[in-house]
Amino acid sequence: MDPQDACRIAIIGLGKVARDRHVDAISRAPGARLAATADPQASLPGIPAFPSLEALLASGTGFDAVALCTPPAIRTRLAAAALAAGKHVLLEKPPGATVAEVTALTHLAHRQHRTLYATWHSRHAPAVEPARARLATRRIRAIRIDWKEDVRHWHPGQDWIWEPGGFGVFDPGINALSILTRILPRPVFVTDAELLLPANRATPIAAHLRFTDTEGLDGRAAFDWRPTGPEDWTIRIETDEGPLAIERGGRRLLEGGLLLLDQPKAEYPAIYSRFTALAGQGASEVDLAPLALVADTFLLSRRHTVEAFH
């Protein structure tokens, strides 16, 4: 593709995920080009930089789309402003703080004839689609999810994740739920939940869920941000044709203990390839199933206070 025809993307919010994932992914995705950034405290060498989306829009800088990498609690206002200005919008996960606000954005994108893309990067992991194909014709009896990582490693100094709308342990936990809702042939729903909240924080540091479907699936998930040793991102599935396991967040796929696949993940370039394709078609893609499961968890949960987290 001629670089002049590439989708010109501005990154809004130049924090850890933007620097670690989005900048490189845009450079590697055919049909995408980084045109600008907007962040009050950060910039990139050689890229036009602005302190805010409003300043970027007022500058006259040419761009076609925004990638919103800010905390979810402020994302809806920014997405609405970008859509109103005629820009396509990519939402880093989770797409917003509530189901209702993302639904409203979907309607706005339709009225503006612009693309709204709610990304679920873990769905692009290499084991996800092969697992989905295998499960399409099997009877699924039970699912166990273990998603445990060290919050200090992945979110150093990020206090926003502990505030209302910051999701707490569901910031990574929703990755597991995004894989789950992609690979299963039927929708699932939460039946019981327990949230563990540090005494000095507003969002959970750990959670335990039970979920099912209309055929009585036995589903359980454990999310935990406290481990400081080996981390675990595993989904184990019992079927009428034997066990299936997705390991390392979607990098590995095992069937009956036999390793079928172990590949490096390239999730974010795949996200941008999908986004530019959608923008070229003027189409949107907003699947709220993972976010709805988190919202329902908060509705149904029993809350327990645990020791303060610092």
Side-chain angles (χ1 to χ4, degrees), residues 137-216:
T137 57
R138 299 185 186 186
R139 186 173 187 275
I140 303 168
R141 295 177 175 139
I143 296 178
R144 298 292 181 267
I145 298 174
D146 289 293
W147 222 256
K148 302 175 181 181
E149 61 185 50
D150 182 358
V151 64
R152 291 182 177 90
H153 173 72
W154 296 99
H155 293 276
Q158 296 182 8
D159 285 338
W160 63 265
I161 58 174
W162 300 109
E163 297 298 326
F167 283 73
V169 76
F170 285 96
D171 182 84
I174 205 169
N175 294 336
L177 298 178
S178 73
I179 293 175
L180 180 74
T181 51
R182 176 61 184 170
I183 64 177
L184 294 185
R186 292 180 299 278
V188 295
F189 51 92
V190 178
T191 59
D192 186 62
E194 180 182 43
L195 302 181
L196 280 61
L197 287 87
N200 61 336
R201 304 291 184 173
T203 57
I205 196 167
H208 302 278
L209 282 64
R210 298 196 68 161
F211 56 90
T212 191
D213 61 11
T214 54
E215 296 192 7

Side-chain angles (χ1 to χ4, degrees), residues 10-253:
I11 294 178
I12 314 302
L14 203 57
K16 180 175 172 56
V17 72
R19 290 177 175 273
D20 289 354
R21 305 297 183 191
H22 288 261
V23 173
D24 176 67
I26 291 172
S27 71
R28 294 170 58 190
R33 178 167 65 86
L34 182 58
T37 65
D39 189 292
Q41 299 177 326
S43 62
L44 295 173
I47 302 297
F50 301 87
S52 65
L53 172 61
E54 292 78 9
L56 170 58
L57 289 170
S59 72
T61 299
F63 67 104
D64 308 300
V66 298
L68 293 181
C69 302
T70 65
I74 65 171
R75 208 172 286 156
T76 294
R77 174 183 63 81
L78 297 170
L83 289 168
K87 310 302 181 184
H88 305 294
V89 174
L90 178 150
L91 300 170
E92 172 60 87
K93 68 84 194 172
T98 70
V99 175
E101 66 188 48
V102 184
T103 302
L105 288 177
T106 304
H107 292 298
L108 176 58
H110 179 73
R111 293 196 302 272
Q112 294 295 116
H113 305 288
R114 290 297 180 266
T115 292
L116 182 68
Y117 179 37
T119 66
W120 300 109
H121 66 80
S122 291
R123 288 183 173 179
H124 295 277
V128 172
E129 290 306 310
R132 182 172 185 257
R134 282 170 168 78
L135 293 174
T137 57
R138 299 185 186 186
R139 186 173 187 275
I140 303 168
R141 295 177 175 139
I143 296 178
R144 298 292 181 267
I145 298 174
D146 289 293
W147 222 256
K148 302 175 181 181
E149 61 185 50
D150 182 358
V151 64
R152 291 182 177 90
H153 173 72
W154 296 99
H155 293 276
Q158 296 182 8
D159 285 338
W160 63 265
I161 58 174
W162 300 109
E163 297 298 326
F167 283 73
V169 76
F170 285 96
D171 182 84
I174 205 169
N175 294 336
L177 298 178
S178 73
I179 293 175
L180 180 74
T181 51
R182 176 61 184 170
I183 64 177
L184 294 185
R186 292 180 299 278
V188 295
F189 51 92
V190 178
T191 59
D192 186 62
E194 180 182 43
L195 302 181
L196 280 61
L197 287 87
N200 61 336
R201 304 291 184 173
T203 57
I205 196 167
H208 302 278
L209 282 64
R210 298 196 68 161
F211 56 90
T212 191
D213 61 11
T214 54
E215 296 192 7
L217 170 70
D218 176 14
R220 305 182 192 189
F223 305 142
D224 202 329
W225 251 354
R226 296 170 294 184
T228 56
E231 297 177 309
D232 188 10
W233 302 279
T234 303
I235 301 175
R236 298 177 179 85
I237 307 161
E238 295 294 333
T239 81
D240 59 348
E241 297 183 30
L244 202 68
I246 297 172
E247 297 182 347
R248 299 185 185 177
R251 174 174 175 166
R252 289 163 53 102
L253 179 65

